[in-house]
Amino acid sequence: MKKMLLATLIGISILLTGCNGSKDVDSPIGATSPTHSSTLSQEEALRVLYQELLAKTEHTVAFLKEARVGNHTIYAFQHMVNGRAPTIAFVHSKTGKVYYDSVELLLDIFINSEDKEPYKAANYINKDIYYLEMKSVNDPEPTTWSTYVFNEDAYTSAEAAKKAVVKVYAENHPTLSLLGKPLAEVEKITKVESLKAPVETKGGEPAEVTQIALDNILILFDKDSISSEIFLEGQQEILGVKIGEPFNEISDKLGMPDSFGQDPEFENIYTMRYLFDGFQIEFYGENKDANTVSALIKKRI
């Protein structure tokens, strides 16, 4: 079987040489031996891919497209192994590394790039989101492969990357990270004992709620003693915005809200609401053009 594979490899190499002119390639170029001083040709990239596939049986390979990511040249090949559906393999012309996933290739280029500024696509909650695009060249039907990157992880869309930003932010923010935690843990973190405060229910009946009061922060707990709401006022900061900023500045930073308008429960109050995984936040102001005066974070299931 190995002799048959070797004969196939030699045959294709002769065919490519005959079609594209003579190329002096005396020895195979391995994916584990990067060559930074020269660039692989299409034929050499094919040889690298064949070396990668030598351990597999009954495989076929055909050149598909040449593509670029910035100043990186990539060769795309269609290959089929053991009769399965054809897939695409990529060979980096500089390093000779073989990739079987375009996202893995793009992420590798990003991580190893000294200058990431050209890939910057957005700044969301003071965090940079990057975008990499690989596009075929000299192609009557151009193909594009792309990915978004945040924190050296790849995402299929800008919205998915933004969700990841919010998740990291929520896990590390000193106030937002308290949401959903048990009463005893919040008391330990804040070093403040909880109190019972009287509240009025919708039916007008008196009741009590457990709360912890901090400087311009009020943490409320549900019947299971889990922090379910956090009320903010003053100059508190959340999600990269500060209480006191007008609604239009908040939407400039956080994007289009899920809802915005006059509050259905309170007269002369406008509410801007954002929904995130695990929580929502409402910003309040006296009218649609006013500065916000407070915000309420609520736990979502």
Side-chain angles (χ1 to χ4, degrees), residues 194-243:
S194 62
L195 298 172
K196 296 285 187 180
V199 294
E200 191 174 294
T201 64
K202 288 185 178 180
E205 298 177 357
E208 284 187 332
V209 64
T210 303
Q211 65 180 39
I212 290 179
L214 305 171
D215 185 21
N216 291 320
I217 300 172
L218 187 64
I219 306 170
L220 305 174
F221 296 81
D222 61 20
K223 59 183 178 61
D224 297 318
S225 296
I226 300 297
S227 58
S228 57
E229 296 183 356
I230 300 176
F231 183 74
L232 306 173
E233 55 185 355
Q235 292 291 312
Q236 289 295 320
E237 176 272 336
I238 192 73
L239 297 176
V241 303
K242 284 186 177 181
I243 308 302

Side-chain angles (χ1 to χ4, degrees), residues 45-90:
L46 178 62
R47 187 180 300 179
V48 167
L49 182 57
Y50 260 101
Q51 282 189 304
E52 180 87 10
L53 296 172
L54 273 177
K56 301 180 175 70
T57 59
E58 298 181 14
H59 66 269
T60 57
V61 179
F63 177 71
L64 189 62
K65 300 173 186 288
E66 179 181 330
R68 300 271 170 77
V69 188
N71 60 355
H72 299 266
T73 297
I74 310 297
Y75 297 112
F77 297 89
Q78 188 177 65
H79 73 99
M80 184 170 64
V81 179
N82 296 330
R84 294 194 294 266
T87 58
I88 298 176
F90 304 91

Side-chain angles (χ1 to χ4, degrees), residues 6 9 34 56 87 140 159 165 175 224 244 246 254 274 289 298:
L6 184 59
L9 172 60
K56 301 180 175 70
T87 58
E159 287 306 310
V165 171
T175 302
D224 297 318
L254 297 183
Y274 287 90
D289 299 315
K298 296 180 181 181

Side-chain angles (χ1 to χ4, degrees), residues 132-286:
L132 280 79
E133 182 178 271
M134 176 169 62
K135 187 175 292 185
S136 60
V137 297
N138 302 323
D139 188 358
E141 297 181 5
T143 303
T144 299
W145 299 268
S146 62
T147 190
Y148 288 86
V149 179
F150 164 65
N151 208 21
E152 296 193 351
D153 289 319
Y155 298 91
T156 56
S157 68
E159 287 306 310
K162 287 180 178 180
K163 284 186 177 182
V165 171
V166 172
K167 183 175 184 296
V168 170
Y169 181 94
E171 291 171 347
N172 293 280
H173 191 271
T175 302
L176 188 51
S177 62
L178 299 176
L179 193 68
K181 282 184 166 47
L183 175 60
E185 187 176 348
V186 176
E187 287 182 323
K188 183 178 180 180
I189 293 171
T190 61
K191 297 181 174 59
V192 176
E193 290 186 8
S194 62
L195 298 172
K196 296 285 187 180
V199 294
E200 191 174 294
T201 64
K202 288 185 178 180
E205 298 177 357
E208 284 187 332
V209 64
T210 303
Q211 65 180 39
I212 290 179
L214 305 171
D215 185 21
N216 291 320
I217 300 172
L218 187 64
I219 306 170
L220 305 174
F221 296 81
D222 61 20
K223 59 183 178 61
D224 297 318
S225 296
I226 300 297
S227 58
S228 57
E229 296 183 356
I230 300 176
F231 183 74
L232 306 173
E233 55 185 355
Q235 292 291 312
Q236 289 295 320
E237 176 272 336
I238 192 73
L239 297 176
V241 303
K242 284 186 177 181
I243 308 302
E245 292 182 359
F247 287 118
N248 64 317
E249 289 187 14
I250 293 175
S251 61
D252 285 344
K253 294 178 180 179
L254 297 183
M256 186 70 68
D258 290 278
S259 65
F260 179 46
Q262 191 163 2
D263 196 284
E265 296 184 21
F266 302 99
E267 292 184 9
N268 302 320
I269 291 294
Y270 274 72
T271 300
M272 178 177 280
R273 181 181 294 108
Y274 287 90
L275 304 179
F276 300 102
D277 291 342
F279 72 96
Q280 70 179 49
I281 182 166
E282 298 175 351
F283 296 95
Y284 305 115
E286 294 181 355

